[in-house]
Amino acid sequence: MNAHDAVREKRKQFRRLLRRKKLTVMPGGFSPLYARLAQQAGFESFFLAGSQLSAFLYGVPDNGIIGLRELVDHSRHMAAAADIPILVDADTGFGNAVNVYHAVKEVARAGVAAMQIEDQEAPKKSATNAGRRCISAEEAIGKIQAAVAARDEVDPEFSICARCDTLGAEGGSFKEALERCIAYVKEGGADFIWLNSVETREDLKRACARIPAPVLTIWGGKDAPPTFEEQEALGVRIALIPTVAATVGLQAAWEVMNDMRARGTRAMAEWNKHAKENPWGRPDMDMLLGYSKVREIEQRYIPASLQRDYAKTWGHKVDYTTVSAAPEKRRRKA
Amino acid sequence: MPIELRHDPGAKRRRLRALLARPELLVMPGGFSPVYASAAERAGFESFFVAGSQMSGFLMGVPDTGIIGLRDIVDHARHVASATSIPILLDADTGFGNAVNVHYAVQEIVRSGVAALQLEDQEAPKKSGTGGGRRCIPLDEAVGKIRAACAARDAIDPDFVVCARCDSIGAEGWTMEETVARCVAYAKGGGADLVWLNAVQTRAQLEEVCAKTNAPVLCNWWSEVEPPPTFEEYARLGVKVALFPTFVSSAGLQGAWELLNDFKARGEAAITDWRQRSRQGKWGAADYRGLTGHPAVRQLELDFLPQSAQRDYASNRAKR
């Protein structure tokens, strides 16, 4: 399959996930590697979070600091690395309806399956933070319409997600949020709706029943979030865990660095043992990065005189093996 | 008001020189992200390494075979440097060509704000330093590249640190005599501030290079022949920098791998358990908001937005 067909196939696959009644659990983060990890662990789609792109590539907060170019660049690498469809967080679309129109075309050309535009005022705030302010429903609907028009010009299979950030924002109420979501579908033409920060199960059920499109939600209530079974029963179509791969990676790095500060090489030896012995072992780095493809390209296209000698040169396994048992004889430094 | 250390590349470069001049071993973790570098700083590490393999993997999803270029690494290096107050060592692979390319690459990298860069003596396109198939350029060409790097550096910031990496152990036609000769020449003829002896197999090799090289020696141990030395042993063998070049991002990847599988198998219970483990762990949950500078946003708004444009934080909700 050529690259263009592969992209379209992933977009069609994403639309199939949206149509079916069964809940789709979508993990997220950033990085082509995490997207492939998710694929290998059996997930059917992956989310690129603007917050994680801001944090892990630039080290900046999720406040609309990164722009279209950063997003498109990273999206292209993720889409190329993963066989599962990718949903991309395009924040506010980087301006008004005119900016959205151009942003959608750029993002669609990057090869991802879908993108989300939120109804916050630019510059945006993190969706899980206070200080959010939404643009008027009228302006937001216009932005979704611009997104859909741009999408139709480049690939009708590409999905547009309208995100409603009204719950928890200035002056936001559930009634208003619900009205917005319905309008984003009916007037805007959004393929699916992301309703952020829902606080009760009753609200969630009502929203899923009234919104005439598949609903993705992130829980914002004080009670424990509904289980996946509950969410499916309430009518939710996508349960998004938007930063999970990146957050867990950060936590693991934090713990292992502190442990290494405290206990030196012993900490690394134990980490290594754990990586080997846990039920899922280590991720398959060749599958993730394609080193065997490099060998294949060399053999096929590089003249014999320039072939590298893999038999006599050697590499290493990523393995800190055991804690030092120093060899018996150690020469003193001259 | 004096500028913050993280915005003062000169101070960080002088700090790295002081770390290389002191008697104690410098333990340097590595990875790629500004967030991982900030976390390393908070955990008490004094420097951080940005690995080309990890930029290739986590930013572009490609193998470490010279696919990424100067622009990619300079762009990323600038963000890592501006997020941290500790000096950053940047992996510049082969310098993206010959001595001429090295000249331009070094000046671009100096302007990115990192404290040091590393150039390796492999033939371009490069191979992973821990993979097979490596081939080195001739010693005299490699020395010329280091000299070009130092001259380019001297023209714009003499405090910037140049590290020469010797990849000859395990490469085509390898002998230990040649490796030693290269390390000695990179310091003496090339003028490198730091020499990286790659792919060390034995304590004896390490000790010989440390004794003969007229510059501090950095070591990343990948031996399958001997178990790795402890930090105390490294210091005794004469090593100045013990580098763990991909440790932080490898740990992050492994953590994500395990939780994704657990999550797939057990659903949200896996996330709840993980969250509890993180909070109750010895070092607590990583401070994501602090590491990414979220608190500064409120201050910027208060300082510079007109009253009418201030956001209402009191009456609207935050999840955390």
Side-chain angles (χ1 to χ4, degrees):
Chain A
M1 203 188 306
N2 69 43
H4 180 71
D5 290 345
V7 165
R8 292 210 91 193
E9 189 43 52
K10 283 186 272 186
R11 289 173 181 168
K12 286 180 185 163
Q13 177 57 21
F14 190 71
R15 286 190 175 271
R16 284 194 283 274
L17 295 179
L18 286 177
R19 271 199 306 273
R20 72 178 187 195
K21 284 277 183 293
K22 190 181 156 219
L23 183 81
T24 296
V25 178
M26 188 192 289
F30 72 110
S31 182
L33 281 192
Y34 285 147
R36 280 199 72 108
L37 274 191
Q39 177 186 330
Q40 219 191 2
F43 289 98
E44 298 162 294
S45 62
F46 193 78
F47 175 63
L48 165 57
S51 63
Q52 306 305 296
L53 189 64
S54 301
F56 282 87
L57 271 62
Y58 286 66
V60 297
D62 182 22
N63 277 80
I65 314 293
I66 60 166
L68 178 60
R69 175 176 177 162
E70 284 87 353
L71 182 74
V72 168
D73 231 37
H74 198 69
S75 297
R76 195 174 59 247
H77 299 134
M78 289 183 68
D83 299 321
I84 54 176
I86 308 285
L87 167 63
V88 162
D89 177 355
D91 290 349
T92 63
F94 309 103
N96 65 17
V98 178
N99 303 80
V100 164
Y101 175 86
H102 292 283
V104 168
K105 287 189 166 181
E106 277 287 289
V107 172
R109 286 188 201 108
V112 295
M115 79 183 255
Q116 157 254 296
I117 298 167
E118 68 210 16
D119 57 3
Q120 280 195 52
E121 191 180 292
K124 65 158 293 168
K125 296 278 161 196
S126 159
T128 53
N129 281 4
R132 282 176 287 138
R133 182 184 286 167
C134 288
I135 56 175
S136 70
E138 191 187 14
E139 188 185 354
I141 292 165
K143 286 174 76 169
I144 307 298
Q145 287 171 340
V148 169
R151 180 273 310 276
D152 287 345
E153 287 181 37
V154 292
D155 185 359
E157 297 293 349
F158 186 82
S159 296
I160 301 288
C161 173
R163 181 169 118 188
C164 179
D165 267 10
T166 302
L167 286 172
E170 288 178 17
S173 67
F174 178 74
K175 182 175 174 289
E176 193 204 336
L178 185 55
E179 281 167 8
R180 278 178 181 253
C181 290
I182 294 168
Y184 294 165
V185 180
K186 279 191 163 164
E187 297 171 50
D191 297 301
F192 66 112
I193 293 290
W194 174 336
L195 178 56
N196 223 3
S197 310
V198 183
E199 288 178 286
T200 69
R201 285 162 170 75
E202 295 72 57
D203 284 352
L204 191 52
K205 191 174 178 182
R206 236 174 97 206
C208 294
R210 298 269 323 272
I211 297 167
V215 172
L216 176 158
T217 186
I218 291 182
W219 187 249
K222 289 190 182 67
D223 300 339
T227 63
F228 294 147
E229 289 74 18
E230 272 187 273
Q231 290 190 39
E232 194 174 272
L234 291 167
V236 174
R237 201 57 62 85
I238 300 180
L240 177 67
I241 324 289
T243 69
V244 64
T247 307
V248 172
L250 179 65
Q251 183 66 29
W254 173 241
E255 291 179 13
V256 92
M257 278 197 289
N258 277 289
D259 197 16
M260 182 171 149
R261 273 295 286 169
R263 298 193 300 146
T265 42
R266 180 169 298 277
M268 299 164 61
E270 280 177 23
W271 173 77
N272 196 64
K273 188 165 179 287
H274 165 82
K276 262 189 219 156
E277 292 172 1
N278 82 84
W280 302 285
R282 293 177 195 279
D284 176 350
M285 294 311 288
D286 186 56
M287 185 284 300
L288 289 178
L289 291 170
Y291 278 99
S292 47
K293 182 74 183 169
V294 174
R295 290 293 304 278
E296 185 196 315
I297 297 167
E298 287 180 344
Q299 279 164 9
R300 194 169 290 175
Y301 303 114
I302 292 181
S305 60
L306 293 176
Q307 291 284 339
R308 298 293 176 93
D309 181 357
Y310 280 93
K312 289 206 192 89
T313 63
W314 38 258
H316 312 260
K317 291 187 200 125
V318 180
D319 192 340
Y320 292 91
T321 56
T322 53
V323 177
S324 171
E328 285 174 19
K329 236 174 72 184
R330 194 186 300 123
R331 288 186 304 162
R332 303 301 305 171
K333 192 180 169 187
Chain B
M1 204 172 82
I3 62 164
E4 285 177 56
L5 180 56
R6 69 196 173 98
H7 300 309
D8 188 347
K12 287 189 272 187
R13 288 163 190 170
R14 291 188 289 277
R15 171 71 185 143
L16 180 59
R17 288 191 175 271
L19 292 172
L20 294 176
R22 73 176 184 188
E24 302 99 283
L25 180 78
L26 176 62
V27 177
M28 189 187 290
F32 72 105
S33 172
V35 173
Y36 285 152
S38 303
E41 181 178 343
R42 290 234 191 150
F45 288 98
E46 298 162 297
S47 63
F48 191 80
F49 175 63
V50 175
S53 63
Q54 306 303 294
M55 285 189 280
S56 302
F58 281 87
L59 270 55
M60 295 174 71
V62 296
D64 182 21
T65 43
I67 313 293
I68 60 170
L70 179 60
R71 175 175 178 165
D72 299 309
I73 72 161
V74 167
D75 226 42
H76 193 70
R78 195 174 61 245
H79 301 132
V80 181
S82 63
T84 46
S85 301
I86 53 174
I88 304 295
L89 169 60
L90 176 68
D91 180 352
D93 289 348
T94 63
F96 309 101
N98 66 16
V100 178
N101 302 78
V102 164
H103 172 89
Y104 292 97
V106 167
Q107 295 200 340
E108 276 289 288
I109 290 166
V110 170
R111 292 187 199 105
S112 78
V114 295
L117 67 75
Q118 164 266 130
L119 289 171
E120 67 210 17
D121 56 6
Q122 281 195 48
E123 191 180 293
K126 65 158 294 171
K127 294 281 157 195
S128 159
T130 55
R134 282 176 288 138
R135 183 184 285 166
C136 289
I137 57 174
L139 190 156
D140 58 351
E141 188 186 352
V143 170
K145 287 175 77 170
I146 307 297
R147 283 175 47 228
C150 292
R153 177 269 316 271
D154 288 344
I156 59 173
D157 185 357
D159 285 329
F160 187 86
V161 173
V162 172
C163 172
R165 180 169 117 187
C166 177
D167 263 12
S168 88
I169 296 183
E172 286 181 16
W174 171 63
T175 66
M176 190 61 204
E177 292 69 37
E178 196 211 336
T179 299
V180 174
R182 281 177 180 265
C183 290
V184 169
Y186 296 163
K188 211 175 175 186
D193 300 302
L194 180 64
V195 171
W196 173 338
L197 179 60
N198 190 36
V200 184
Q201 291 291 285
T202 68
R203 284 161 174 75
Q205 291 169 347
L206 196 49
E207 196 165 28
E208 183 180 1
V209 168
C210 290
K212 289 179 178 164
T213 304
N214 190 26
V217 172
L218 177 151
C219 161
N220 67 315
W221 183 276
W222 285 120
S223 176
E224 282 163 349
V225 182
E226 291 180 12
T230 62
F231 295 156
E232 293 72 27
E233 272 189 279
Y234 275 126
R236 276 202 302 276
L237 292 164
V239 173
K240 184 50 51 118
V241 183
L243 177 69
F244 298 86
T246 69
F247 192 50
V248 182
S249 44
S250 298
L253 185 69
Q254 184 68 34
W257 173 239
E258 291 173 24
L259 191 75
L260 282 168
N261 278 286
D262 196 18
F263 180 37
K264 187 70 193 150
R266 293 198 297 135
E268 62 271 68
I271 310 252
T272 310
D273 290 352
W274 168 77
R275 201 165 279 142
Q276 193 172 7
R277 272 204 312 278
S278 302
R279 284 206 199 102
Q280 292 172 351
K282 194 167 172 186
W283 295 285
D287 176 18
Y288 173 79
R289 287 177 54 74
L291 291 169
T292 50
H294 278 78
V297 173
R298 285 298 301 279
Q299 197 56 50
L300 288 169
E301 291 179 342
L302 289 169
D303 287 349
F304 303 116
L305 290 185
Q307 196 58 43
S308 59
Q310 293 284 341
R311 299 291 176 95
D312 177 3
Y313 281 93
S315 74
N316 63 93
R317 258 192 336 265
K319 204 169 170 185
R320 27 179 196 195

